[in-house]
């Protein structure tokens, strides 16, 4: 179904789709189901141009006549025995609406009709490629009906009879076979070819009824290349049976070639005339008037005969408009050619004389279409004029008219013309940005932050330790000796801290234990430059005697707003080793404080002994520790 819905939507002209919709609406109001059948389905499938529409309804098709005429359809003819209506819809669309039926043939060429469903109607047709239908009803729109496998014959490009007695029951199928072979370039399948020759040899053409003769004669004019169809029928010998006065010799061959040239040029510019009446005028150009009149009487569509008869008069009426004030400018001429009755335009293009008429048609076919290439697409994109905006097609049309009239010559003129159609610029995109944080104040190192700075081995980050080169050298010397008994710095009384006291108390003793000299030695490479080292060495170093040997007391920063530390008690000679004192140091160690606070606390501490004396007092402690 999707494939045929696509074909219905894209392979038919807008006028043909509108005609189908009108018939669908009329059939639904009458309670009938309607199908697109016959040659239209075949042409849709093969990609050929669809010249007419064959619509079949399950019911009495004649009941749709008034409803369709009320919506603009013109009744061209009617055949009551088959309940068939022939319409001419606006846009040059020929439509045949008939009732689904079944046919019986007691005698060749004399059918008896019985009203039946659509499937039986398909089985009574001529060839399998024409025995297909597409549903146009709600709920089954686009459904293909192919009871005789006509699609396989389309793929094989064969014409195969639906019934073995097809040529005998309806001899008009002999003429139809010759026309379709010529138009489509197909061949009759083997059995059909044999039956064709048998019917031809038995002269079954004589049993052809009169209304079918007129129908087949009119179909020659409705062919896209009527001259070729006329030649095929004459070469098969059928013309001498249906209308001997009409031969290829009676046709104006040169004029037909000229007419088809204008016909194709009009199609390229979006004008879709029905070539039938103009072609029929030239196919019978050399016939006697009485023979032409007799030929017209055989036609089954009186409306087509009327169109043929009024072709010359309509062309003269159009000439007055075409050369008057209504077509004074190129744009007015273009509008007139694309809105007037296309059959009259085609005939005037073929028969019109005079430089004014021929020059306008020449400009319409070749010169003015080149102005489409001058449409400023880049400028339109710059001005945000895209196909998505409203009235875009109308703008392109008006821009084209301005160009062919020569009113837009420069870019400034084009910009000024397009400015009213330019939509406003879109607002800038809204971006939500996070506000930048204020510059961070100096952080107070707490035990929690120090733990986050530890590396993967659980050691503190060396860069965060407040050590200078001199201190590192002294600590390296001390670490060379084995264990140095150091009294835990926890006995140093410090004022209570403000908030996270318990976690902070654990840190200094842990640092004293966890940082060996091997880990801190590389930091000496980053010692300050010589000049800076001399300046730092010149400054008096104020240190507490116990803090020299206890890394936690030296490097731990007291808590902010802490009270001045009292003078540390002298270290007893029999101090316990640092290893055994480590656990209580972790529990009761003082919370580290910022570096500035450390300097402030050191000012209130007791002045330490000179450097040499400090080393002398420590060495006995080492020996005593070794003895114990």
């Amino acid at each position: 179904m999707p494939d045929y819905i696509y074909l219905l939507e894209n392979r038919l002209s807008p006028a043909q789709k509108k005609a189908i919709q009108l018939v669908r609406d009329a059939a639904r109001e009458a309670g009938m189901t309607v199908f697109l059948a016959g040659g239209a389905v075949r042409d849709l499938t093969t990609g050929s141009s669809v010249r007419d529409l064959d619509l079949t309804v399950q019911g009495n098709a004649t009941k749709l006549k008034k409803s369709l005429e009320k919506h603009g359809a013109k009744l061209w003819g009617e055949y009551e025995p088959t309940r068939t209506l022939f319409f001419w819809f606006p846009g040059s669309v020929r439509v045949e609406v008939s009732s689904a039926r079944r046919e019986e043939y007691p005698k060749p060429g004399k059918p008896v009709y019985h009203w039946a469903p659509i499937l039986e109607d398909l089985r009574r047709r001529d060839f399998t490629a024409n025995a297909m239908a597409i549903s146009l009803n709600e709920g089954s729109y686009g459904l293909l009906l192919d009871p005789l496998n006509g699609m396989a014959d389309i793929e094989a490009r064969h014409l195969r009879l639906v019934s073995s007695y097809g040529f005998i029951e309806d001899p008009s199928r002999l003429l139809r076979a010759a026309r379709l072979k010529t138009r489509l370039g197909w061949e009759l399948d083997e059995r059909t070819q044999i039956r064709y020759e048998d019917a031809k040899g038995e002269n079954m053409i004589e049993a052809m009824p009169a209304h079918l003769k007129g129908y087949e004669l009119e179909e020659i004019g409705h062919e896209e290349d009527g001259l070729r169809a006329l030649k095929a029928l004459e070469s098969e010998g059928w013309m001498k049976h249906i209308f001997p006065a009409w031969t290829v010799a009676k046709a104006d061959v040169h004029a037909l070639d000229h007419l088809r040239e204008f016909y194709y040029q009009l199609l390229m510019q979006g004008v879709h005339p029905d070539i039938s009446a103009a072609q029929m005028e030239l196919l019978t150009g050399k016939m006697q008037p009485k023979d032409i009149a007799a030929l017209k009487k055989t036609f089954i569509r009186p409306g087509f005969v009327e169109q043929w008869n009024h072709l010359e008069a309509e062309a003269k009426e159009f000439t007055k408009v075409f050369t008057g004030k209504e077509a004074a400018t190129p744009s007015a001429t273009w509008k007139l050619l694309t809105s007037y009755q296309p059959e009259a335009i085609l005939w005037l293009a073929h028969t019109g004389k005079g430089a004014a008429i021929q020059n306008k048609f020449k400009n319409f076919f070749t010169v003015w279409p080149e102005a489409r290439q001058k449409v400023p697409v880049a400028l339109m994109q710059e001005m945000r004029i895209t196909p998505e905006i409203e009235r875009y097609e109308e703008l392109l049309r008006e821009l084209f008219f301005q160009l062919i009239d020569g009113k837009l010559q420069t870019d400034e003129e084009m910009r000024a013309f397009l400015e009213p159609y330019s939509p406003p610029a879109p607002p800038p995109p809204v971006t939500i940005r996070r506000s930048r944080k204020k510059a961070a104040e100096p952080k107070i190192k707490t035990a929690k932050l120090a733990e986050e700075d530890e590396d993967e081995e659980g050691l503190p980050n060396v860069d965060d330790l407040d050590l200078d080169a001199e201190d590192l050298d002294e600590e390296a010397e001390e670490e060379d000796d084995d264990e140095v008994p150091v009294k835990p710095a926890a006995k140093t009384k410090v004022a209570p801290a403000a908030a996270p006291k318990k976690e902070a108390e654990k840190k200094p003793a842990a640092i004293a234990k966890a940082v060996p000299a091997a880990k801190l030695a590389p930091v000496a490479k980053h010692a300050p430059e010589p000049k800076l080292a001399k300046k730092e060495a010149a400054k008096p170093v104020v240190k507490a005697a116990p803090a020299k040997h206890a890394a936690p007391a030296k490097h731990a920063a007291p808590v902010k707003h802490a009270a001045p530390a009292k003078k540390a008690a002298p270290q007893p000679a029999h101090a316990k080793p640092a290893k055994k004192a480590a656990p209580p140091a972790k529990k009761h160690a003082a919370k580290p404080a910022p570096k500035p606070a450390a300097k402030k606390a050191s000012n209130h501490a007791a002045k330490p002994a000179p450097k040499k004396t400090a080393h002398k007092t420590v060495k006995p402690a080492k020996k005593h520790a070794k003895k114990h």
Side-chain angles (χ1 to χ4, degrees), residues 283-541:
L283 286 172
T284 59
K286 299 179 181 179
M287 285 178 62
Q288 297 294 327
K290 61 177 183 178
D291 294 332
I292 296 175
L295 178 64
K296 290 178 181 179
K297 289 181 181 179
T298 63
F299 290 171
I300 199 171
R301 301 180 182 91
F304 175 64
V305 176
E306 183 180 356
Q307 186 186 64
W308 181 4
N309 292 336
H310 292 83
L311 185 62
E312 190 68 33
E314 290 180 357
K316 289 182 179 179
E317 183 178 352
F318 176 65
T319 303
K320 296 178 182 178
V321 181
F322 193 59
T323 57
K325 294 182 180 179
E326 297 182 13
T329 62
S331 59
T333 304
W334 187 281
K335 293 176 183 178
L336 180 64
L337 289 172
T338 53
S339 60
Y340 205 83
Q341 187 65 23
E343 288 73 30
I345 296 173
L346 175 62
W347 190 247
L348 179 62
H350 172 68
T351 60
K353 297 179 180 179
I357 295 176
Q358 293 302 322
N359 286 337
K360 284 188 176 182
F361 276 109
K362 182 180 179 181
N363 292 333
F364 182 70
F365 293 145
T366 59
V367 178
W368 296 335
E370 295 179 357
R372 298 185 187 277
Q373 301 177 2
K374 300 179 181 179
V375 174
V377 179
L379 179 60
M380 295 174 69
Q381 291 286 342
E382 177 186 344
M383 300 178 69
R384 301 172 299 280
I385 301 176
T386 59
E388 287 75 20
I389 69 171
E390 190 178 358
R391 299 172 59 193
Y392 181 77
E393 295 297 330
E394 181 181 345
L395 170 61
L396 287 181
R397 183 178 175 85
E398 186 62 28
L399 181 61
F400 171 72
F401 291 152
Q402 294 289 327
L403 288 172
I404 63 177
D405 286 343
K407 295 181 179 180
L408 300 179
Q409 300 292 338
T410 63
D411 292 342
E412 290 75 13
E413 293 176 346
M414 291 184 183
R415 185 178 293 274
F417 174 78
L418 294 172
E419 187 63 34
Y421 299 93
S422 177
V430 178
T431 56
I432 302 175
R433 296 182 179 179
R434 295 181 179 179
S435 58
R436 291 187 177 181
K437 294 182 179 179
K438 295 181 180 179
E441 298 179 356
K443 294 182 180 179
I444 300 176
K445 280 287 183 178
T446 62
K448 188 175 181 180
L449 294 176
E451 288 176 0
E452 292 176 357
D453 292 340
E454 288 183 0
D455 57 8
E456 295 179 355
E457 297 179 356
L459 298 177
N461 195 337
V462 178
D463 295 337
D464 295 337
L465 298 177
D466 188 13
L467 300 176
D468 55 350
E470 183 180 357
D471 296 337
L472 293 173
D473 293 338
E474 292 177 4
E475 290 179 4
E477 291 175 4
E478 294 172 0
E479 291 294 331
D480 289 341
D481 299 330
D482 296 324
E483 295 284 344
V484 179
V486 180
K487 186 177 181 179
K491 292 185 177 181
T492 304
K493 294 182 180 181
V494 183
K501 181 189 289 186
K502 293 182 180 180
E503 294 183 4
E505 290 175 353
K506 302 177 183 179
K507 195 63 185 176
I511 296 176
K513 181 181 178 181
V515 184
K519 295 289 182 178
L520 299 176
V523 182
K525 295 179 182 180
H526 303 286
E529 297 180 0
K531 294 181 179 180
L532 297 176
K534 289 179 181 180
K535 292 180 180 180
E536 295 292 335
K539 294 180 180 180
V541 180

Side-chain angles (χ1 to χ4, degrees), residues 98-413:
S98 61
S99 297
R101 62 185 183 272
R102 176 173 56 85
E103 298 177 350
E104 292 181 359
Y105 290 89
K107 295 182 180 180
K110 294 183 179 181
V112 178
Y113 304 111
H114 304 276
W115 316 121
I118 182 64
L119 291 177
E120 292 190 31
D121 181 89
L122 297 177
R123 291 188 178 96
R124 61 95 187 162
R125 294 183 179 253
D126 47 11
F127 304 105
T128 57
N130 295 337
M132 298 188 300
I134 298 176
S135 174
L136 302 177
N137 306 289
E138 298 293 336
S140 61
Y141 183 78
L143 178 65
L144 177 67
L145 305 178
D146 185 12
L148 301 172
N149 199 17
M151 190 61 65
D153 291 316
I154 288 177
E155 293 178 358
R157 301 172 64 85
H158 283 164
L159 291 173
R160 178 168 60 91
L161 278 174
V162 170
S163 171
S164 300
Y165 304 98
F167 292 133
I168 297 175
E169 294 173 345
D170 185 0
S172 66
R173 293 168 181 167
L174 295 170
L175 282 72
R176 212 167 301 150
R179 283 194 298 105
L180 292 177
K181 282 175 57 179
T182 304
R183 183 205 305 172
L184 302 174
W186 296 4
E187 296 294 335
L188 301 177
D189 78 311
E190 184 177 355
R191 293 184 179 182
T192 303
Q193 182 66 40
I194 293 173
R195 292 183 175 93
Y196 179 87
E197 297 296 337
D198 291 344
K200 184 178 180 181
E202 294 177 7
N203 204 19
M204 296 302 302
I205 193 69
E206 296 295 336
M208 185 176 177
H211 78 279
L212 289 179
K213 287 183 180 180
Y215 183 88
E216 291 298 327
L217 288 171
E218 185 180 338
E219 286 297 317
I220 297 174
H222 295 313
E223 288 285 333
E224 188 172 330
D225 190 348
L227 181 62
R228 189 179 178 187
L230 183 61
K231 287 180 179 179
L233 293 175
E234 186 177 0
S235 63
E236 289 291 329
W238 303 129
M239 290 304 298
K240 63 183 180 182
H241 291 283
I242 59 176
F243 203 83
W246 193 14
T247 62
V248 176
K250 304 295 179 65
D252 191 343
V253 178
H254 178 71
L256 284 169
D257 294 338
H258 192 253
L259 177 69
R260 278 193 295 273
E261 181 181 350
F262 283 115
Y263 172 70
Y264 293 129
Q265 287 180 336
L266 287 173
L267 291 179
M268 293 176 63
Q269 303 308 324
V271 181
H272 300 272
D274 186 354
I275 197 175
S276 302
Q279 185 171 230
M280 190 64 78
E281 178 69 20
L282 299 178
L283 286 172
T284 59
K286 299 179 181 179
M287 285 178 62
Q288 297 294 327
K290 61 177 183 178
D291 294 332
I292 296 175
L295 178 64
K296 290 178 181 179
K297 289 181 181 179
T298 63
F299 290 171
I300 199 171
R301 301 180 182 91
F304 175 64
V305 176
E306 183 180 356
Q307 186 186 64
W308 181 4
N309 292 336
H310 292 83
L311 185 62
E312 190 68 33
E314 290 180 357
K316 289 182 179 179
E317 183 178 352
F318 176 65
T319 303
K320 296 178 182 178
V321 181
F322 193 59
T323 57
K325 294 182 180 179
E326 297 182 13
T329 62
S331 59
T333 304
W334 187 281
K335 293 176 183 178
L336 180 64
L337 289 172
T338 53
S339 60
Y340 205 83
Q341 187 65 23
E343 288 73 30
I345 296 173
L346 175 62
W347 190 247
L348 179 62
H350 172 68
T351 60
K353 297 179 180 179
I357 295 176
Q358 293 302 322
N359 286 337
K360 284 188 176 182
F361 276 109
K362 182 180 179 181
N363 292 333
F364 182 70
F365 293 145
T366 59
V367 178
W368 296 335
E370 295 179 357
R372 298 185 187 277
Q373 301 177 2
K374 300 179 181 179
V375 174
V377 179
L379 179 60
M380 295 174 69
Q381 291 286 342
E382 177 186 344
M383 300 178 69
R384 301 172 299 280
I385 301 176
T386 59
E388 287 75 20
I389 69 171
E390 190 178 358
R391 299 172 59 193
Y392 181 77
E393 295 297 330
E394 181 181 345
L395 170 61
L396 287 181
R397 183 178 175 85
E398 186 62 28
L399 181 61
F400 171 72
F401 291 152
Q402 294 289 327
L403 288 172
I404 63 177
D405 286 343
K407 295 181 179 180
L408 300 179
Q409 300 292 338
T410 63
D411 292 342
E412 290 75 13
E413 293 176 346

